[in-house]
Amino acid sequence: GSEMCIRDRSNTTPLCTLALTFAAVSLSGCDAEPNLADYATNEIEAVLKVQNTESGNEGAFEVILLGPSSGLSPNYIKLSEQAALTATWGDDSLQLEQVTQGAISYGGTFTTTESTEFNIAFTRPDGEDAPINTIFLAAPFEITDVSSSVAPGGSLEISWSGGSGTVELVISGACIAQYNASVDMADGAISLPFESLIPIDATAPTSCALSTQMNNTTEGAADPAWNAESSTVGRVLRRQDDATTYQP
């Protein structure tokens, strides 16, 4: 199936899975899919994403086009014939294809080993094009090691390889307040003293599993031909869920 997430402002949780499942969401209750020809470009909210959220160098494009909606459900738009979303980076180019139904999205995959600038151009035969949607994607990285436990007098050790720039580090668990910090990927490792992790119940702290997430996200403006809510997102994300035991 497909996730119906539209926008992620938190930068701590992946917007949508990269799995480009060709789909199966039914259109029950709908007489017809909304067609691009029914909307001017400046009526459409475009959410254009370039993401690398799984281990390795493969990433994916995801584009969602939303028309004005009078109800609570998003109004996903289907491209009409000859309209196109074309991604380019370096000497490579790819026309995005519809990959989900119902919650309609367009996508495709790519491979990159370094920081890369992408552009996703929108062209249509019956209205204004939106050709400049520039998205920066940081270099892929991997979390190589996380402490299996952390206790008083000790520290939570995290190491990684690859990547570039500054990344948001998030440590979370049911028994602690979420820990957030910015880390320089050039450092390759960080050591968090046990005292950095604040128990939710300071008088009677309990043990729990901790998850580590590193998130490098860049958000930007889309082509001004779209409506003002449109945006671009580039995200490299890695996580190790429940890898550490917090032992107060």
Side-chain angles (χ1 to χ4, degrees), residues 18-43:
L18 279 180
L20 296 174
T21 48
F22 288 80
V25 178
S26 70
L27 297 177
S28 57
C30 299
D31 294 327
E33 292 177 321
N35 194 287
L36 175 67
D38 298 331
Y39 303 97
T41 303
N42 63 11
E43 294 180 290

Side-chain angles (χ1 to χ4, degrees), residues 9 25 42 51 54 88 93 114 120 125 142 187 200 205 212 221 224:
R9 301 299 186 193
V25 178
N42 63 11
Q51 304 184 101
E54 302 292 338
T88 56
S93 179
E114 57 191 19
I120 301 177
E142 303 297 336
D187 292 340
I200 291 175
T212 296

Side-chain angles (χ1 to χ4, degrees), residues 114-126:
E114 57 191 19
S115 303
T116 305
E117 186 172 273
F118 296 82
N119 186 68
I120 301 177
F122 169 69
T123 54
R124 60 184 300 179
D126 55 353

